[in-house]
Amino acid sequence: MNVEAFRGAIIKGKWKLVKIALLPGKTELFDLSVDPGEKNNVAKQNPEVVRDLESRLIAYAKEQKQSEWLKAQQNFLGAQGKTILDPDFDIDDGGLPHEKPAMPKK
């Protein structure tokens, strides 16, 4: 299992789930028993496996300790870094308790 601020991956049995949150976000699922090179994304054909592995990945992300490397890279990460490094950041709603995602006003 590997979880970072904007992506993560998990393997359970023959399945490997790769979640990429950068826009455009994507979810990939591979059956490693028949596709060890990860060429055929079978996420659409196996939604129950995707749900199970995504929930495990999120649970792990909630348990893991903050990355020391990310803490040292705040200037590089910009506004996103300030958000994900805030101790009140809520992984469930993707923001701080006092912030909700909104489209910029023109």
Side-chain angles (χ1 to χ4, degrees):
M1 185 167 323
N2 183 29
V3 177
E4 297 174 357
F6 304 105
R7 61 185 171 201
I10 182 172
I11 295 174
K12 180 183 174 198
K14 68 180 187 172
W15 299 108
K16 179 177 180 182
L17 178 87
V18 179
K19 190 79 176 170
I20 301 170
L22 296 174
L23 294 177
K26 68 178 167 178
T27 300
E28 298 176 326
L29 180 69
F30 304 102
D31 180 344
L32 298 177
S33 68
V34 296
D35 183 18
E38 302 175 16
K39 305 267 187 229
N40 187 25
N41 181 2
V42 295
K44 289 181 182 175
Q45 295 86 353
N46 298 279
E48 69 288 342
V49 175
V50 170
R51 280 191 298 275
D52 174 50
L53 294 179
E54 278 182 340
S55 68
R56 290 171 185 269
L57 194 62
I58 290 169
Y60 179 74
K62 289 179 183 181
E63 293 174 4
Q64 95 175 5
K65 206 175 147 187
Q66 178 96 187
S67 164
E68 294 298 320
W69 184 87
L70 280 179
K71 286 181 188 177
Q73 306 301 319
Q74 290 188 34
N75 290 337
F76 174 75
L77 295 172
Q80 293 88 355
K82 289 182 179 91
T83 301
I84 63 171
L85 294 171
D86 190 297
D88 291 326
F89 180 76
D90 184 353
I91 195 169
D92 288 319
D93 70 11
L96 301 173
H98 58 280
E99 295 178 345
K100 293 296 172 200
M103 293 298 291
K105 295 178 182 175
K106 292 183 178 183

